[in-house]
């Protein structure tokens, strides 16, 4: 065997092994599950976000862009792909939805197929909104991360708790961290254990959560909380948050008054 042929063969084997390894990773498996339907598709999006893997996040973005598809290759295997620009011959080049590497055939050539060889993966409005917020939670903008955490917390879905906990552990922006803490406690308000709910109420009171103030007021008025300890915790929390609001208003008013007085003093001296 000549040296160039041996090198090419080794490279081909290494590439095949690498592709097999990538296909067997949890991230790749979740990306394949993202091409499903209903609860399984939603669960896959959440699992992808938990991984904080940019290569896997690409699949969620492709779903939002309406460019996530399935394709059955020559070996009969159905894979998750994204499509490139349509060529003059009407064919589209394919890339793997996980990682974006080109889909290649047995000869190593980049696979391009007619558009009707692809099956589009769709997502409902609710999943599309969730997908956007999952990507924002893992994104670079601290204000977007805070907003995303707040949205996820309001879902009160305990399957999102590991994602929020991981976000809290890695967050360095103080204001965003506070928002994530609030989202975690809002999620715990839906826990079946009244002791967990009562502790969440107390923590939200300590965070002076305006959202919680509104929710506690509605719960107390409607009588939707049946545990006496949680109800009492809500009453204390409402009083505490309202006191904090009054205090901050007084401080703000005083500060504004001092600022105005200072400005007028400067003007008077200048005159």
């Amino acid at each position: 065997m000549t040296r160039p042929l041996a090198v090419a063969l080794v490279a081909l084997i290494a590439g095949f092994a690498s592709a097999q390894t990538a296909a067997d990773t949890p991230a790749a498996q979740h990306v394949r599950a993202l091409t499903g339907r209903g609860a399984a598709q939603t669960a896959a999006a959440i699992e992808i976000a938990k991984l904080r893997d940019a290569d896997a996040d690409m699949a969620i973005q492709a779903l939002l862009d309406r460019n996530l598809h399935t394709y059955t290759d020559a070996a009969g295997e159905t894979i998750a792909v994204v499509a490139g620009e349509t060529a003059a011959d009407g064919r589209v080049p394919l890339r793997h939805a996980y990682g974006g590497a080109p889909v290649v055939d047995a000869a190593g050539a980049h696979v391009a197929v007619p558009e009707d060889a692809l099956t589009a993966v769709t997502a409902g409005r609710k999943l599309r909104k969730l997908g956007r917020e999952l990507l924002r939670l893992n994104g670079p903008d601290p204000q977007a991360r805070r907003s995303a955490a707040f949205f996820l917390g309001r879902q009160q879905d305990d399957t999102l708790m590991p994602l929020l906990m991981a976000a809290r552990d890695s967050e360095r922006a103080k204001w965003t961290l506070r928002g994530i803490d609030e989202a975690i406690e809002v999620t715990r308000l839906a826990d079946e254990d009244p002791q967990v709910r009562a502790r969440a109420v107390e923590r939200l009171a300590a965070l002076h959560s305006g959202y919680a103030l509104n929710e506690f007021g509605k719960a107390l008025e409607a009588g939707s909380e049946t545990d006496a300890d949680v109800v009492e915790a809500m009453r204390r929390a409402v009083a505490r948050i309202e006191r904090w609001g009054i205090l901050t208003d007084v401080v703000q008013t005083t500060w504004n008054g001092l600022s105005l007085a200072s400005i007028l003093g400067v003007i008077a001296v200048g005159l």
Side-chain angles (χ1 to χ4, degrees), residues 19-40:
Q20 287 296 103
T21 300
D24 291 339
T25 63
Q29 293 168 12
H30 294 320
V31 168
R32 286 197 296 273
L34 190 64
T35 65
R37 293 290 185 271

Side-chain angles (χ1 to χ4, degrees), residues 130-144:
L130 175 64
R132 283 192 292 270
E133 299 304 329
L134 291 174
L135 291 180
R136 276 156 53 87
L137 186 69
N138 288 344
D141 183 347
Q143 182 56 43

Side-chain angles (χ1 to χ4, degrees), residues 150-233:
F150 187 66
F151 170 84
L152 296 174
R154 283 185 294 145
Q155 308 313 301
Q156 294 188 320
D157 181 348
D158 60 1
T159 65
L160 294 170
M161 186 64 83
L163 180 62
L164 291 169
M165 298 291 283
R168 183 177 67 178
D169 290 344
S170 63
E171 186 57 60
R172 295 296 176 265
K174 185 176 180 180
W175 186 243
T176 302
L177 182 60
R178 186 182 180 92
I180 295 172
D181 282 335
E182 184 175 351
I184 289 170
E185 300 308 331
V186 169
T187 301
R188 287 176 173 153
L189 289 176
D191 197 280
E192 293 181 357
D193 186 342
Q195 292 184 347
V196 172
R197 297 200 301 275
R199 286 195 296 270
V201 169
E202 292 168 358
R203 289 168 182 154
L204 286 166
L207 291 168
H208 310 120
S209 169
Y211 173 79
L213 176 63
N214 183 54
E215 291 302 297
F216 296 163
K218 289 192 294 186
L220 291 171
E221 182 177 353
S224 55
E225 176 57 63
T226 58
D227 184 85
D229 290 338
V230 179
V231 169
E232 183 56 32

Side-chain angles (χ1 to χ4, degrees), residues 89-159:
D89 63 359
R91 300 170 76 84
V92 293
L94 303 182
R95 291 185 176 274
H96 288 282
Y98 174 57
V103 177
V104 297
D105 60 21
H110 193 169
V111 173
V113 301
E115 290 185 20
D116 60 9
L118 302 177
T119 300
V121 178
T122 59
R125 181 184 59 82
K126 186 175 181 180
L127 177 56
R128 293 179 63 79
K129 174 62 175 174
L130 175 64
R132 283 192 292 270
E133 299 304 329
L134 291 174
L135 291 180
R136 276 156 53 87
L137 186 69
N138 288 344
D141 183 347
Q143 182 56 43
R145 293 197 300 272
R146 177 183 170 85
S147 175
F150 187 66
F151 170 84
L152 296 174
R154 283 185 294 145
Q155 308 313 301
Q156 294 188 320
D157 181 348
D158 60 1
T159 65

